[in-house]
Amino acid sequence: MEQDVESPAAARKPKLPKQAREDLPKQLAEMDRAKKIQRYVQKDGKCNVHHGNVRETYRYLTDIFTTLVDLKWRFNLFIFVLVYTVTWLFFGLMWWLIAYLRGDLDHIADNQWTPCVNNLNGFVSAFLFSIETETTIGYGYRVITDKCPEGIVLLLVQSVLGSIVNAFMVGCMFVKISQPKKRAETLVFSTNAVISMRDGRLCLMFRVGDLRNSHIVEASIRAKLIKSKQTKEGEFIPLNQTDINVGYNTGDDRLFLVSPLIICHEINQHSPFWEISQAHLAKEELEIVVILEGMVEATGMTCQARSSYVSSEIKWGYRFMPVLTLEDGFYEVDYNSFHEIYETNTPTCSAKELSDMANRARLPLTWSLASKLSQQGLPESQQEGQETKTAPENEENSQTAERNGDITNLESESKV
């Protein structure tokens, strides 16, 4: 019996470098974690929420106009054609029924007989007369006579109901066509959000832009942090929404969106990212939803564009590439660099830790300067008394040097 025997040379796997062997489990874990992340809002702005087990479906019929507008185009067009066809068939049947009950169909060739509708000789002709009546075409071949009062009443009813159907269906189609949802397709958000230093403070930033020359009027930006939390009482709140301040107090959230803008959120004591470091961010399961709202300049209708960033799309220690350049008499925006980022020196600790270290480095230095200034202002007799206190001061100076050394080491590590 033959057996396939693998040679030792073939069975030997290529040996990976040590750094690659150490990073491989981390990369696999990150890939698995990225696959498991469930978005609340997709990158294109669609909300990833489905409503199930809705028992009170009659509520959709109470607002039938909005229900029709929210339907997909294929269903909307189907209902549009169906409504008109049903009304034409219904009134065509009514015209045929009147002709049948009056006996007009039995006296088609009788010139002495006065029918309700001239030249109506069957259901097909009644259906065509119904279309001509409701659409006010009036070819002149089929005409209602004055000897048919029931036909006159039916003509009035069909004219009124036809006008209502036209107003309802045409209005529904007009609203659906003029919806500014497609306008949001030209409002773009950066692929990634970044965290870096700006004016000495740790900031979270992302970029927005408008591809059209017609601008968004009264544009405003909002941001929400979507993250599950557990209260002190043990209550679990899934997908809790927390406001992220992007300039509400200073007015920076109101945008003049002529060229791409970088939206900045300062990470301070009131920020939900106050205690989050780079290592902590990689383990967090959170999502930032950004919402851009404004009025379309051409139509005056309100438009809303949405996007989101999960933790893997928030790059720590990066900045956005500049996209605006000055040309001969105008400014040019290069959208090829809209999503590009570059690495910059940024502390890996949280904003709270960075603030604590800055305070520890600042306070002893202030105390030492104040003590030296006070010593220079004392007379010689009092300075002799101060010499006895040199030992405690030396200890404080040594502690200050150690703290300043810690800050220097931390800054050198962040630069590396």
Side-chain angles (χ1 to χ4, degrees), residues 60-79:
Y60 294 107
L61 298 178
T62 56
D63 189 12
I64 186 65
F65 187 82
T66 305
T67 303
L68 291 176
V69 172
D70 290 340
L71 288 177
K72 294 182 179 180
W73 268 108
R74 54 181 178 268
F75 299 115
N76 209 310
L77 291 175
F78 174 75
I79 293 175

Side-chain angles (χ1 to χ4, degrees), residues 307-328:
S307 186
S308 68
Y309 303 97
V310 294
S311 56
S312 59
E313 295 170 345
I314 304 174
K315 304 299 181 181
W316 192 290
Y318 285 84
R319 289 178 183 167
F320 287 105
M321 292 286 293
V323 295
L324 196 63
T325 57
L326 177 62
E327 300 296 333
D328 188 11

Side-chain angles (χ1 to χ4, degrees), residues 87 90-92 94-96 98 116-118 120 126 128-138 142-164:
T87 55
F90 173 75
F91 284 104
M94 296 299 296
W95 286 114
W96 176 85
I98 290 176
C116 185
V117 179
N118 289 331
L120 194 150
L128 293 176
F129 180 72
S130 174
I131 296 176
E132 295 174 15
T133 303
E134 188 166 337
T135 57
T136 65
I137 294 175
R142 298 177 183 87
V143 181
I144 187 172
T145 62
D146 56 355
K147 302 298 183 181
C148 183
E150 60 271 20
I152 296 174
V153 173
L154 182 60
L155 178 63
L156 294 174
V157 172
Q158 185 175 5
S159 299
V160 174
L161 290 180
S163 300
I164 295 175

